[in-house]
Amino acid sequence: MKKILIICFFVILGLYVVFQGRFIIFGPEISVELPKQGSYVDIGPITVSGRVKNISHLYLNDGQIYTNNEGYFEEKLIAEVGTNIIEITAKDRFGRVREKLVVVQAR
């Protein structure tokens, strides 16, 4: 009986460690809310917003930006006539990098 309890304890402990370690396993996550991929925007200022998880650094077109406590970000960019490529790069504390490209058309 004692062996079964010890085995159960270590199985539960192992499952808990895997559950909590999922953030380390999956790395940075990027979700862009605005603008939508392939959308048409007006020339001039546009808002880029979204949410990130499991990051230590965040970049928008190679410039560092910041999030609030919940991981939301919001920045302004100038859209020029034609195709505009918005690059969002997130890094975690282990050096893993995830990039998201959003392509919009300005007219």
Side-chain angles (χ1 to χ4, degrees):
M1 182 69 175
K2 192 173 184 180
K3 286 183 181 182
I4 293 174
L5 287 175
I6 292 173
I7 291 171
C8 287
F9 172 77
F10 282 110
V11 167
I12 291 171
L13 180 64
L15 290 173
Y16 177 77
V17 168
V18 169
F19 178 74
Q20 291 299 323
R22 71 189 183 282
F23 302 119
I24 296 169
I25 295 167
F26 294 133
E29 296 177 31
I30 303 171
S31 173
V32 179
E33 295 170 3
L34 288 174
K36 297 290 184 194
Q37 177 73 14
S39 63
Y40 289 92
V41 297
D42 292 327
I43 298 169
I46 61 171
T47 300
V48 178
S49 64
R51 186 173 189 196
V52 291
K53 295 179 182 177
N54 311 326
I55 67 148
S56 60
H57 295 87
L58 183 63
Y59 302 92
L60 176 62
N61 292 345
D62 295 325
Q64 188 168 8
I65 61 173
Y66 301 95
T67 66
N68 66 12
N69 290 337
E70 288 82 37
Y72 290 97
F73 64 90
E74 183 174 302
E75 293 290 324
K76 299 278 188 194
L77 288 179
I78 303 296
E80 298 180 8
V81 176
T83 303
N84 291 264
I85 300 172
I86 301 166
E87 179 183 23
I88 301 164
T89 306
K91 256 187 214 181
D92 69 6
R93 61 184 174 165
F94 303 105
R96 288 180 293 195
V97 177
R98 178 127 335 138
E99 292 181 355
K100 184 110 177 196
L101 295 177
V102 178
V103 179
V104 297
Q105 300 291 326
R107 50 184 167 159

